[in-house]
Amino acid sequence: MTAEKKTAVYDPYDPACLPDYDRDFIQPDELDRFERALNAPEASPLTAINDWRPINQRVRKSRGRRKTPKRSKDETREGVLYSVLKWPFLFIVFAWLIVLSFGYALVRVYIVLYEQWVTWRGKRERLRQELSAQKNYPDWLKAAQALDVHLGTENWKKVDEYAYYDHLTVNKVVSQLKQRRRDAEWEMENGRVGSSEVPAIEDLRALLEACVKNNFAGVENPRIYSETYSGTKDLVQEYIDEVHACIQIVLDNKQIDKDAKYQLFKHLDTNFGRTALCLSGGATFAYYHFGVIRALLDNDVLPEIITGTSGGALVAGLVATRTDDELKQLLVPALAHRIRACHEGLTTWIHRWWRTGARFDTMDWARQCAWFCRGSTTFREAYERTGRILNVTCVPSDPHSPTILANYLTCPDCVIWSAVLASAAVPGILNPVVLMTKKRDGTLAPYSFGHKWKDGSLRTDIPIKALNLHFNVNFTIVSQVNPHINLFFFSSRGTVGRPVTHRRGRGWRGGFLGTAIEQYIKLDLNKWLRVLRHLELLPRPLGQDWSEIWLQKFSGTVTIWPKTIPSDFIHILSDPTPERLARMIHVGQQSTFSKIQFIQNRLKIENTIMKGLQESRIDGRALSPILSRRVRDRENEDPMVERLDDNLPERDGSSYKSESRYGELSDSMSQSTGSSRPHTPTSRRGSVIEEMRRQSAVFFDEADYDRDEGAVVI
């Protein structure tokens, strides 16, 4: 009886097993403030011909119907040939793109049939089916090793030579590391023999500083993990294990003081870099991310830094606000009972779209999203609760402002659910929303003066550059599920953990002819899209430039592409059932298992460096690895101040405030002390004569009067 009750408690399809399933995290007052911010009228500028004319003066309307141009005057090219050839050229290019797309689909069908008839036959096919049926990584690894033995790739691991890394250098470094480590261990046990000789631990330090770098000698090249289903070259694995052992020796050694250790680990951290998990957008395809997260979590390789865009931001918000134990209980099929974004009927959608231009209701999505983000949790609060660094990409609704990567450094007091909504606000699906910030008293207020934001995938689906700028990320794990590019992902020579199996890994997927045609068509499609964008010929449906959803970079160092099925496109805007979510979680796990070994090797060194940074702190305080890289030897100082001072030296010691700095315009304008932003000289405003001269200039339409030499125009 006890066993039956225990089974019922842990039923993965029972929503009662989910932590906080019935809890409503968000307060009604917070939703009311968000609704008022959404409905607040945009600040219209006070305009007049001059200061003596009335504001909003009546202007006689011109006869005839005035059409609003799709592009502004500055954006529209002029000329006879442009006007005459624009539409014919656009029609011809679009027709050619349709032909290329149809041809590309035929080529991919040919490649699939080629692989089924030529590659996957007999015992090879049976072993592959066994591999796909595994539900945990240890069983998957055994099946992958059996497939490698059958294909003969186990012998490839034993041969050091390979074209995609410097095996001679790696072999030499491994030998030296082993010798220095043995000498250091001997000195730790027996003490130094002579004081004149350089300690062995110092030689080991120098050697580590030389070889612990990002992709040293090519040991992190994805190609050396793409020849087998499990593992890599034995020499590469030996190098990883030896570096890890040597770093641990330095960490445990008592001959080196903490300050020297800290400087060493800081140097190693800077050269080696950090790892980040990037979750792409993709509407309901984003639920495949749950399986990816589950596979990384179960194998203890989930990175600290997580970024999400659009649908991926919802998954990232769930991960960043929950602990590991909570996630293991949440990432089950029963989670489908909490996904209710598309619960309304078709007639309601049509009526709303006709009335507002959006298919979904913003307030309803805010209520649903708040549960995934634990209510009005801010980026800083999520970081303090779980230690994970959440990043969400948001695009401003106007076409000129830059994209922001919201995190606990750029906007620490911003509420996560508002950023997730903004990142999912696809034109026509959800209207742009206002980001909300939490003030010191716990109430919510509009962020960034009430400006509105929309889907991050429109410009930056995978913010690799911003992650490198903020957190020194140079190794990205990308879970890519965008449906519009899913078909175009094709690796002719295999990917990490997914090698080309025929011709002993030296062949091409679909044969050389199939690969050549596929590459040509894909490059030609990309070329013509870029031509249309640079010639400013692409239309702008819903007032949005859609070219970047095709032309940006969608992959990372390791790219995980869960295998979709046709029914996913049918249910692209519908809530999943528990059975369908269970399949998506399983497929996401299966797609991740092949990358685990590569990620484990990377994090094996990185986590040891982070451990060294934390333990070598002089004051003994355990801080985040991200902050420990920027810490100075100052007592009782806020880590945020240290981070900002390192990145912005011109701050001149300005103090960091724990309350919101973005809630009200008056607060931000009054903080003139320590601000790096140039200000308008006060003397010009204080002078009556200068003010009269300026007003006179406006009256006589002298627009350039204000521009003094050396003045900063904002």
Side-chain angles (χ1 to χ4, degrees):
M1 191 68 177
T2 307
E4 292 180 359
K5 289 184 178 180
K6 187 175 181 180
T7 303
V9 170
Y10 292 99
D11 182 8
Y13 289 86
D14 184 6
C17 301
L18 298 178
D20 303 316
Y21 174 73
D22 295 322
R23 183 177 177 182
D24 191 8
F25 288 100
I26 195 167
Q27 302 298 324
D29 178 66
E30 296 171 339
L31 288 175
D32 292 341
R33 291 177 179 272
F34 179 58
E35 187 173 14
R36 288 198 298 269
L38 284 177
N39 298 329
E42 296 184 2
S44 56
L46 300 178
T47 58
I49 297 177
N50 55 56
D51 288 356
W52 284 269
R53 294 292 186 94
I55 297 174
N56 297 326
Q57 181 179 358
R58 291 185 59 186
V59 180
R60 182 177 297 176
K61 296 182 179 180
S62 59
R63 296 181 180 180
R65 184 178 178 182
R66 182 179 179 182
K67 298 181 179 180
T68 303
K70 295 183 178 180
R71 294 178 184 267
S72 66
K73 182 178 178 180
D74 294 333
E75 294 177 294
T76 305
R77 303 297 98 186
E78 297 180 356
V80 177
L81 288 179
Y82 178 83
S83 302
V84 171
L85 298 179
K86 174 182 177 180
W87 294 108
F89 182 77
L90 191 62
F91 174 78
I92 293 172
V93 173
F94 272 168
W96 180 238
L97 290 176
I98 293 174
V99 172
L100 289 175
S101 301
F102 181 73
Y104 187 84
L106 291 179
V107 171
R108 292 300 302 271
V109 170
Y110 160 77
I111 292 175
V112 170
L113 295 177
Y114 180 93
E115 291 183 332
Q116 291 295 327
W117 293 344
V118 176
T119 304
W120 299 111
R121 296 181 300 174
K123 185 178 179 180
R124 176 183 304 183
E125 173 64 14
R126 180 175 60 81
L127 290 173
R128 188 181 74 146
Q129 291 178 356
E130 292 179 1
L131 186 69
S132 301
Q134 306 305 323
K135 296 184 178 180
N136 58 74
Y137 181 66
D139 293 339
W140 183 94
L141 185 59
K142 293 179 182 178
Q145 290 171 347
L147 186 55
D148 283 335
V149 170
H150 175 71
L151 297 175
T153 53
E154 284 291 329
N155 298 327
W156 173 86
K157 298 180 183 179
K158 300 175 182 178
V159 179
D160 294 344
E161 186 177 358
Y162 190 56
Y164 293 96
Y165 82 114
D166 188 354
H167 69 281
L168 296 177
T169 300
V170 174
N171 210 333
K172 183 178 180 180
V173 169
V174 168
S175 300
Q176 294 182 8
L177 285 173
K178 287 182 177 180
Q179 182 62 41
R180 299 296 185 274
R181 178 171 59 85
R182 294 193 194 100
D183 295 342
E185 289 175 344
W186 190 89
E187 285 189 358
M188 290 173 63
E189 295 176 359
N190 305 301
R192 292 180 57 189
V193 177
S195 59
S196 60
E197 297 181 358
V198 178
I201 195 66
E202 294 295 334
D203 292 338
L204 184 60
R205 284 179 54 191
L207 189 56
L208 286 174
E209 288 185 346
C211 69
V212 179
K213 297 178 181 179
N214 179 49
N215 197 24
F216 171 75
V219 295
E220 290 182 343
N221 189 333
R223 290 293 309 160
I224 63 177
Y225 289 86
S226 303
E227 298 286 347
T228 62
Y229 282 89
S230 62
T232 181
K233 288 283 188 183
D234 291 343
L235 176 61
V236 174
Q237 191 62 50
E238 186 180 9
Y239 166 80
I240 299 293
D241 296 338
E242 189 60 38
V243 168
H244 173 263
C246 291
I247 296 177
Q248 193 64 46
I249 286 293
V250 174
L251 182 59
D252 298 336
N253 194 282
K254 304 299 183 182
Q255 300 176 9
I256 309 176
D257 57 39
K258 279 193 173 183
D259 184 63
K261 285 184 181 179
Y262 177 77
Q263 295 300 326
L264 169 66
F265 287 118
K266 183 179 179 181
H267 183 207
L268 297 183
D269 176 43
T270 302
N271 287 338
F272 196 73
R274 299 302 312 277
T275 301
L277 174 64
C278 306
L279 307 178
S280 75
T284 57
F285 284 66
Y287 301 140
Y288 282 106
H289 295 320
F290 289 132
V292 174
I293 297 292
R294 186 64 196 240
L296 297 175
L297 183 65
D298 289 343
N299 294 279
D300 199 25
V301 289
L302 182 62
E304 275 187 348
I305 306 172
I306 303 173
T307 179
T309 305
S310 192
L314 180 69
V315 181
L318 177 73
V319 175
T321 55
R322 263 69 173 192
T323 62
D324 289 353
D325 293 336
E326 290 173 337
L327 283 178
K328 290 178 180 179
Q329 300 178 58
L330 283 171
L331 299 180
V332 293
L335 185 61
H337 294 284
R338 282 297 322 188
I339 303 176
R340 309 164 185 163
C342 310
H343 61 90
E344 297 174 324
L346 182 61
T347 55
T348 305
W349 289 347
I350 295 175
H351 177 70
R352 181 183 298 114
W353 187 85
W354 180 261
R355 183 169 50 89
T356 66
R359 182 169 180 177
F360 296 103
D361 178 51
T362 304
M363 296 305 300
D364 180 60
W365 272 32
R367 294 186 191 93
Q368 305 293 340
C369 183
W371 184 87
F372 285 84
C373 303
R374 285 187 62 87
S376 297
T377 303
T378 65
F379 285 91
R380 177 164 39 187
E381 291 170 349
Y383 165 70
E384 292 171 349
R385 183 175 192 270
T386 66
R388 297 189 180 97
I389 300 172
L390 174 64
N391 301 267
V392 176
T393 306
C394 299
V395 172
S397 57
D398 68 274
H400 308 293
S401 300
T403 302
I404 67 166
L405 185 66
N407 53 51
Y408 86 109
L409 293 178
T410 58
C411 45
D413 299 319
C414 182
V415 177
I416 294 175
W417 61 258
S418 66
V420 171
L421 279 182
S423 188
V426 181
I429 302 298
L430 192 70
N431 287 326
V433 303
V434 176
L435 297 182
M436 303 298 290
T437 185
K438 184 182 290 187
K439 297 194 294 185
R440 194 172 192 178
D441 58 1
T443 59
L444 302 187
Y447 169 82
S448 186
F449 316 125
H451 292 168
K452 293 187 176 181
W453 306 78
K454 57 186 177 181
D455 194 342
S457 294
L458 298 175
R459 293 193 202 171
T460 311
D461 191 58
I462 309 297
I464 295 178
K465 291 183 178 180
L467 289 173
N468 180 264
L469 174 66
H470 292 303
F471 304 112
N472 192 30
V473 170
N474 50 23
F475 189 97
T476 51
I477 306 166
V478 175
S479 179
Q480 184 56 255
V481 296
N482 270 304
H484 64 284
I485 63 166
N486 195 285
L487 177 66
F488 295 97
F489 175 74
F490 178 82
S491 181
S492 60
R493 302 300 302 274
T495 59
V496 175
R498 295 289 181 182
V500 178
T501 54
H502 61 288
R503 299 186 185 276
R504 297 185 177 273
R506 299 183 182 275
W508 303 82
R509 290 187 59 191
F512 176 75
L513 183 61
T515 294
I517 297 175
E518 187 274 340
Q519 289 291 318
Y520 169 78
I521 295 178
K522 189 161 58 178
L523 291 174
D524 207 33
L525 283 168
N526 187 277
K527 178 194 71 175
W528 284 112
L529 285 173
R530 291 186 182 277
V531 168
L532 291 178
R533 184 181 67 174
H534 287 296
L535 292 181
E536 300 179 2
L537 297 175
L538 283 174
R540 292 186 176 182
L542 302 175
Q544 173 65 40
D545 180 9
W546 298 84
S547 62
E548 284 297 328
I549 69 171
W550 299 96
L551 299 178
Q552 58 181 290
K553 185 177 180 180
F554 292 98
S555 58
T557 310
V558 179
T559 306
I560 303 170
W561 296 79
K563 188 176 181 180
T564 58
I565 56 178
S567 63
D568 290 334
F569 292 88
I570 299 175
H571 300 289
I572 191 171
L573 289 177
S574 60
D575 296 329
T577 62
E579 293 74 20
R580 187 160 146 256
L581 185 60
R583 185 196 64 82
M584 300 178 84
I585 291 176
H586 174 69
V587 172
Q589 288 178 298
Q590 277 284 324
S591 303
T592 311
F593 286 158
S594 59
K595 324 295 181 185
I596 292 293
Q597 184 65 54
F598 191 11
I599 301 170
Q600 280 180 339
N601 284 345
R602 166 73 188 190
L603 293 181
K604 190 174 186 178
I605 297 177
E606 181 179 324
N607 291 340
T608 309
I609 295 174
M610 295 300 103
K611 181 182 177 182
L613 270 173
Q614 290 179 314
E615 294 187 3
S616 59
R617 287 282 297 151
I618 295 178
D619 54 13
R621 291 181 295 176
L623 300 176
S624 166
I626 298 296
L627 292 177
S628 62
R629 187 168 66 243
R630 302 289 196 263
V631 160
R632 299 175 182 176
D633 295 330
R634 286 185 263 174
E635 295 291 336
N636 301 323
E637 187 170 14
D638 192 338
M640 189 65 65
V641 179
E642 298 169 352
R643 169 72 189 213
L644 292 175
D645 286 344
D646 280 345
N647 288 335
L648 301 173
E650 65 274 17
R651 283 165 44 85
D652 295 331
S654 61
S655 60
Y656 173 79
K657 294 187 177 181
S658 59
E659 67 269 17
S660 171
R661 294 165 294 162
Y662 308 101
E664 300 178 5
L665 177 62
S666 59
D667 292 340
S668 61
M669 288 300 184
S670 63
Q671 296 174 1
S672 58
T673 305
S675 173
S676 61
R677 179 178 176 180
H679 297 278
T680 304
T682 56
S683 60
R684 196 177 84 179
R685 289 187 178 273
S687 173
V688 178
I689 298 178
E690 287 296 320
E691 181 67 16
M692 292 180 62
R693 291 176 61 190
R694 188 180 68 83
Q695 297 286 3
S696 301
V698 173
F699 183 78
F700 291 109
D701 295 327
E702 296 179 9
D704 294 334
Y705 173 80
D706 270 332
R707 299 192 177 182
D708 303 327
E709 286 189 13
V712 179
V713 181
I714 301 176

